[in-house]
Amino acid sequence: MIKPDKPANEAQRLEALYRYRILDSEREKSFDDLVVIAKAVCGTTMAAVTLIDVERQWFKSIQGIDAAENLRSESMCGHAILQPREIMVVEDAQQDVRFHDNPVVTGDPHVRFYAGAPLISSDGLPLGTLCVFDPNPQHLAPDKAEALAALSRQVMLVMELRRFALDIQSHMVQRDDYERLLSEYHDVLLAQNADLTEQSRTDALTGLPNRRAMAAALQDAVVSADGQPRQTCVALIDIDHFKHINDFQGHATGDRVLAELGVLLRSHFAGRGLAARYGGEEFVALMPDVDLRTAELQCEFLRMAVADLPLGFPVTVSIGVAQHQADESTDQTLARADAALYRAKGNGRNRVELAP
């Protein structure tokens, strides 16, 4: 087992950590919620917010295992804070010379996969990590790594809010200080809410709106401002044989295909609709104030544009299009578009099919 070194600025790092007055504090739901989200996003059985003290790793929040702290010398997070600008990923700890004989690997909780995003203080010092871990080896996809980094920033925002609240309590006798700190607390809270809202509505890999944002947009698009039904078409777009791209070209190339298609969709529907990532290799396009024939032509142009993408290998899409009917829900419209997409794939792929 290789023990983690201590950063060159260890004294300043510890001073910054102690300013937050968080070590050995009670569990708090705001931290627990972010740990639950990190575990779900990364698909692991365990996750934690950890802070690195002089000789110990202390858990502010932990899910999937009961523990309060661990020796710093045995912690993977002790290694992660040595590279504060990067997420440290260990796909299989048994194959890593630093950890193969570590007690947390050879014994409970038998960690094989680990990913830790450093928690960086306002003055740039690493205090600990938001980490996810699992007893099975895993690969961390780029979009999941980006989401983990975003959540680590949210942990630091919560720590800042907590510190502001403690400062407010200490200075309530002085009205001017109280009002200033309350204003700072409010600004940080607004920034946190805005950041969380953006994360919850945007796909990290493509930058397009996600399924949740599209569902809200579709509900608005099928009804006019005065409450009358509005002519709207929806298209479901699926990359043909995407699994083969991942299998034979690699997941990095698959991610590049998704990102390039995201750029194309954004430009294709700019000013005349909305495109979003629906999930996996599937996208959805919303075309308000467009009849079914016009929507079909738009999708044919899109299909041809995808085939011309300069990716170095052929990529095509199959598309199913449906026009919203006044007597149906938006879910039913999407279901008809999905059925049309299924026909397009069944009829040879690289084609557009209309829902009756």
Side-chain angles (χ1 to χ4, degrees), residues 20-35 49 58-63 158-159 161-163 165-166:
Y20 287 87
R21 289 166 283 172
I22 193 171
L23 290 174
D24 300 311
S25 61
E26 297 293 328
R27 291 188 66 162
E28 297 174 56
K29 191 174 188 304
S30 53
F31 292 93
D32 290 342
D33 288 346
L34 290 169
V35 169
V49 169
W58 180 76
F59 301 110
K60 174 60 179 174
S61 175
I62 190 165
Q63 298 284 332
V158 175
M159 288 179 61
L161 289 173
R162 186 181 182 281
R163 183 168 66 88
L166 291 173

Side-chain angles (χ1 to χ4, degrees), residues 7-24:
N9 56 359
E10 177 69 356
Q12 294 92 330
R13 190 192 71 80
L14 289 171
E15 182 182 350
L17 173 61
Y18 297 152
R19 282 201 301 269
Y20 287 87
R21 289 166 283 172
I22 193 171
L23 290 174
D24 300 311

Side-chain angles (χ1 to χ4, degrees), residues 185-219:
Y185 180 95
H186 181 257
D187 291 344
V188 171
L189 185 60
L190 288 177
Q192 180 191 28
N193 287 340
D195 198 9
L196 282 173
T197 299
E198 181 64 21
Q199 289 177 42
S200 69
R201 299 176 66 88
T202 304
D203 174 63
L205 178 61
T206 64
L208 292 174
N210 60 17
R211 186 169 185 161
R212 177 181 177 185
M214 173 55 74
L218 180 55
Q219 289 287 353

